[in-house]
Amino acid sequence: MTIAAVLQTLLQKLRRLLQLTRSFACFFLLCLCQPVMSLQYQHADWQQGGLVVGHVEPGATLVYQQEEVLIGDDGLFVIGLGRYAPPEVALKEISANGEVVEHRFQVKQRDFDIQ
């Protein structure tokens, strides 16, 4: 193998390594840019008349249907979905440091036997 061929092979491998490094760097930066939210559900019944029980980091704020959700000192919250809840609802989470993420959920529609 000639020196030129060796250098050509080495150059190709370096280009590939550079591409992989760029891909990894982009992925890493995207991960850093994503807000880290702590919204967790212990029970989530996303249907009309359902109940959602969850937990957020202490100091966070939740807004459901344009109203602030009461959150316990330990981060526990409960949301009751009304009988006439719309097919889609939004839950806005605001972390203690001000990052905002809006979660959207599909609500199963039900027929209630009203007497």
Side-chain angles (χ1 to χ4, degrees):
M1 207 179 213
T2 68
I3 293 178
V6 170
L7 290 175
Q8 184 68 25
T9 304
L10 184 60
L11 184 60
Q12 288 174 347
K13 289 183 180 187
L14 284 173
R15 284 185 183 148
R16 179 67 183 141
L17 181 61
L18 182 59
Q19 288 174 343
L20 290 172
T21 303
R22 283 184 192 157
S23 298
F24 177 74
C26 289
F27 174 75
F28 183 71
L29 288 175
L30 283 173
C31 289
L32 286 178
C33 293
Q34 296 297 320
V36 178
M37 306 308 273
S38 63
L39 185 62
Q40 299 174 1
Y41 299 102
Q42 295 170 354
H43 173 80
D45 186 15
W46 293 102
Q47 67 176 344
Q48 290 177 325
L51 190 66
V52 177
V53 180
H55 186 269
V56 292
E57 69 181 35
T61 303
L62 289 177
V63 178
Y64 171 71
Q65 302 291 84
Q66 291 81 37
E67 290 190 34
E68 193 170 319
V69 176
L70 292 175
I71 300 173
D73 293 336
D74 60 351
L76 187 67
F77 69 88
V78 177
I79 297 173
L81 282 77
R83 179 186 303 184
Y84 302 109
E88 182 179 271
V89 296
L91 184 61
K92 186 186 300 183
E93 180 182 8
I94 306 166
S95 71
N97 64 2
E99 293 179 75
V100 178
V101 173
E102 186 170 299
H103 307 272
R104 295 200 165 275
F105 301 96
Q106 299 299 314
V107 177
K108 180 181 175 189
Q109 303 295 289
R110 295 176 49 192
D111 290 322
F112 290 90
D113 186 19
I114 301 172
Q115 299 179 16

